[in-house]
Amino acid sequence: MTLRVHSYESFGAVDGPGIRLVVFLQGCPLRCLFCHNPDTWAAAGGTETPIEAIVQKARRMRPYFGKDGGVTFSGGEPLMQARAVREAIEALHREDIHVALDTSGALDSPEALAALDAADLILLDVKSPDPARFKDVTGLDQAATCHVFNHLRQTQKPVWIRQVVAHGLNDTQAEKDATKAFIAGLNVLRIDRLPYHELGVMKYEALGLPYRGSALKPPSPEELPL
């Protein structure tokens, strides 16, 4: 089985615990206002890569992982390739390698839920707790994401919450309180509120795509904490 891989980061230090091999997978159904990787959207892009090639890369990096590191599947949206992702997680587990899955939770197929169950840690990207704002931010309905969140509540899979924060988008106390209610009941080990940036704007220009986030502004230090 193969995965369509966009790129790798060999010594990732922010996408899960320890030092990690981050595998950015191709394809994403979301069109987020603040996305800085529009080059990962097309499902047919990237490089078709055998799972064993990823496992071999992880084996070579194992001395750098230490006791906490491992592999993180990111994207794009890894759950677009859920069946192959689950196969890859199981192959890495046979090598005793920790695996994290960075997802928006926007796909709730049986294959997607099986991939979530297989991973050791979920990095869960919270787009918006409000259904109307969620649709505006991502272009998708929130129902699938709510189903995934409920599944993670039931399984109590360890979760790191991640949320991009922009002034005027989700910086008020009311919006923070709504986010806290939205993630209540999850087995949350860590919350990272990440300040909005415009580092991906040049990619839109290169791809000839309109950038929808031009009105967003970075939050102040006081607006960032949840």
Side-chain angles (χ1 to χ4, degrees), residues 31-33 35 38 41 200-201 203-214:
R31 297 295 180 265
C32 296
L33 281 172
C35 180
W41 289 351
V201 172
K203 294 183 181 180
Y204 287 82
E205 296 171 354
L207 294 169
L209 296 172
Y211 179 62
R212 295 199 304 128
S214 56

Side-chain angles (χ1 to χ4, degrees), residues 19-110:
I19 300 300
R20 310 190 71 81
L21 169 65
V22 186
V23 186
F24 294 96
L25 299 180
Q26 189 71 29
C28 186
L30 291 82
R31 297 295 180 265
C32 296
L33 281 172
F34 40 72
C35 180
H36 58 274
N37 288 320
D39 44 330
T40 67
W41 289 351
T47 301
E48 194 166 341
T49 305
I51 287 173
E52 180 56 27
I54 297 170
V55 174
Q56 288 177 3
K57 189 181 285 285
R59 281 197 204 106
R60 291 194 297 270
M61 276 200 63
R62 191 199 301 271
Y64 302 100
F65 291 159
K67 66 181 181 66
D68 295 323
V71 174
T72 297
F73 289 103
S74 187
E77 172 48 70
L79 295 184
M80 280 192 70
Q81 303 183 61
R83 185 180 171 207
V85 166
R86 181 180 58 79
E87 294 282 348
I89 292 170
E90 291 174 352
L92 289 161
H93 280 170
R94 287 193 287 273
E95 302 288 331
D96 198 28
I97 294 173
H98 181 279
V99 183
L101 183 59
D102 185 354
T103 177
S104 65
L107 298 169
D108 64 342
S109 67

